[in-house]
Amino acid sequence: MAGRSRLSPVGAPTRGTTNPNRLRRVDRWIASAPVTTRLLRSATDPLVIDLGYGASPVTTVELARWLRRVRPDARVLGLELDAARVAFAQPAASPPWLEFRRGGFELAGTRPVLVRAFNVLRQYAEDEVAGAWALMLDAMPPGGLLVEGTCDEIGRLSTWVLVAASGPVSLTLSMRLAGLEKPSTVAERLPKALIHRNVPGERVHAFLSALDACWATAAPHQAFGVRSRWRETVRLLVSRGWPVLGPPSRVRLGELSVPWAAVAPA
């Protein structure tokens, strides 16, 4: 790994809340989505950064395990602003494959092909999001990708935006279907770029409203199980003209991806 950068870390400390398997939904997606797996497999230097991993390094360790399924020589670097958190994480390190150091949106002077930044921008103002995205992407080589999102404390509700140098690419929702009252419950975990846009007149509000309507229409399928109801919900959504991305195998996991243009702020 490249030597330590003299750049000052950029960003504000997070609360540090973390739990084992909290980020399993986005990890599973990163390790299977064609856009991310192609990137990892083709990279000359498969360096991935986990930005703002929190008070425990557990989710960074889990990310490394998922990535090894795609690229056995993938290197993961966990970055935190808090020096005490970095020190606490050191026993989990396994250089050069898994390391921890201080850093923020400047990415500690490294050049990763992929950055996972979860529950980091939630504390920022909406108008600060684009700048944070740009700062991270500017530090990456051409073709680099950012996966930025939010989830609840135990990983049952999760959303993320895939961002490239050209701008946001897609929004993904991932939910534990068992016990789900309605899909729009995930609105409380929308990424910062969208969470304040869930109001009438905005695309993301129209999307979540249509999703709830399809969920209600699909209620009879609950007799065959919640997965059956969810698959019918997504089928109905597509029939209403919403551009759903990805194969059916992703849908059955409680995932739903749409192009960013379908939900972008008006």
Side-chain angles (χ1 to χ4, degrees), residues 36 68 79 163 214 228 266:
T36 48
R68 288 192 194 104
L79 293 182
V163 191
C214 292
S228 178

Side-chain angles (χ1 to χ4, degrees), residues 83-254:
R85 294 177 185 174
V86 176
F88 182 78
Q90 292 309 318
S94 180
W97 313 114
L98 177 61
E99 298 186 79
F100 301 90
R101 75 172 69 159
R102 286 194 71 213
F105 296 135
E106 84 300 333
L107 305 184
T110 62
R111 299 276 286 171
V113 295
L114 180 71
V115 173
R116 183 187 73 178
F118 247 68
N119 302 303
V120 173
L121 288 174
R122 188 173 179 84
Q123 64 187 322
Y124 288 79
E126 183 182 344
D127 61 7
E128 295 178 292
V129 171
W133 285 353
L135 189 57
M136 288 183 275
L137 287 159
D138 286 348
M140 297 185 210
L145 294 172
L146 165 65
V147 180
E148 188 268 307
T150 307
C151 67
D152 66 357
E153 286 72 13
I154 55 176
R156 292 185 176 184
L157 299 173
S158 189
T159 73
W160 57 88
V161 183
L162 178 67
V163 191
S166 58
V169 177
S170 62
L171 170 72
T172 298
L173 314 180
S174 184
M175 298 166 279
R176 183 176 185 271
L177 297 176
L180 183 67
E181 181 180 351
K182 58 182 180 179
S184 66
T185 302
V186 80
E188 65 194 45
R189 299 296 172 175
L190 284 171
K192 191 65 180 189
L194 292 175
I195 195 166
H196 301 301
R197 300 288 181 155
N198 187 29
V199 294
E202 291 283 351
R203 295 184 184 93
V204 70
H205 182 269
F207 170 60
L208 291 175
S209 297
L211 191 57
D212 277 353
C214 292
W215 177 256
T217 301
H221 287 256
Q222 186 76 31
F224 304 103
V226 69
R227 291 185 189 277
S228 178
R229 182 179 183 180
W230 175 246
R231 287 195 296 267
E232 177 64 8
T233 296
V234 176
R235 188 194 70 77
L236 290 169
L237 193 70
V238 172
S239 73
R240 295 186 182 190
W242 288 93
V244 173
L245 304 173
S249 60
R250 306 307 304 175
V251 171
R252 71 178 303 276
L253 295 173

